[in-house]
Amino acid sequence: MTSQQNHLIKTALKINKTALFNSSAAVQPIDIKLSQGLDLIYHDYAFKNYNNAINFSKNILRIDFSFKGSISFIKNNQKHIFLEPGFLKISKSSTDHNIYSTDNGHYQGVTIIIDQDKISSNFQYLIAKNNLLKNLVDDYDLDNGHAILKSEYIDQMFHDIKSVEVPNQLQYYCLKIAELLLYLDSKTAHSASLSPEYFFIENTQKIYAIHQYLRNNLNKKNHFKIIS
């Protein structure tokens, strides 16, 4: 891990942080409490499988972004992609009993947790729209699923969250998250939303196979074949 990637860890070491799971758990995410109803959770650990229940309050809005590592889960005896590096996932969360796994044994990313019933008036003032969170739930149809987005703006946003250091780090995170929410409420963000079929595990594995084949055979002539 480079020094640019350590500002989230530095912040966590300076404040009252919360380990979300007990010391015997397979993963140890760190919860940075930003304000009432707003948490920034940092993930950086190695694990192969995780199958303990993850509990959330009823009216939680959850935003996940992966810096490194792909996460899959098993649901109804089928394997699905949960998150890929460089992608944002927004969802409403409840108790989660899925079995998770990593493709390469390591995951680094962040989760933003917004409790819509407890969010502070100060943060509400930053986003300047009383119904913005409800708009996100409705516009992305989060009551019936989740949304996946990919854009240069999102990449830069989370790069800044990870790498920029300022005197008041917690206030900076609050401002960046408010900026992110305003962006997600825009037409530009909606145009960056991907079809749910994008993360079908079969499609993703085929893309990986093609990508790896091309890398291995880039300098060879007349050796390309169809991968099916």
Side-chain angles (χ1 to χ4, degrees), residues 64-93:
D64 287 278
F65 182 85
S66 170
F67 295 120
K68 181 180 180 181
S70 303
I71 296 183
S72 306
F73 68 95
I74 303 295
K75 188 172 184 179
N76 299 325
N77 295 318
Q78 290 186 326
K79 190 175 182 181
H80 304 266
I81 293 291
F82 176 80
L83 198 58
E84 286 278 292
F87 288 86
L88 178 147
K89 182 174 185 177
I90 180 171
S91 60
K92 281 185 68 176
S93 289

Side-chain angles (χ1 to χ4, degrees), residues 81-167:
I81 293 291
F82 176 80
L83 198 58
E84 286 278 292
F87 288 86
L88 178 147
K89 182 174 185 177
I90 180 171
S91 60
K92 281 185 68 176
S93 289
S94 57
T95 301
D96 186 342
H97 293 282
N98 293 320
I99 299 173
Y100 289 92
S101 63
T102 55
D103 290 346
N104 60 4
H106 183 261
Y107 176 65
Q108 183 186 86
V110 295
T111 301
I112 299 166
I113 298 292
I114 304 168
D115 190 328
Q116 298 179 75
D117 296 328
K118 297 180 180 179
I119 198 71
S120 70
S121 58
N122 288 338
F123 186 77
Q124 195 72 55
Y125 175 79
L126 289 178
I127 58 179
K129 292 177 66 175
N130 291 331
N131 60 345
L132 186 146
L133 298 177
K134 183 180 183 303
N135 285 351
L136 294 179
V137 172
D138 294 341
D139 293 346
Y140 289 102
D141 197 22
L142 300 183
D143 284 323
N144 297 308
H146 61 266
I148 299 289
L149 293 89
K150 173 72 173 173
S151 72
E152 291 183 7
Y153 180 92
I154 291 172
D155 288 342
Q156 185 61 51
M157 168 68 63
F158 283 93
H159 172 79
D160 291 346
I161 287 176
K162 181 176 66 172
S163 63
V164 174
E165 186 174 23
V166 298

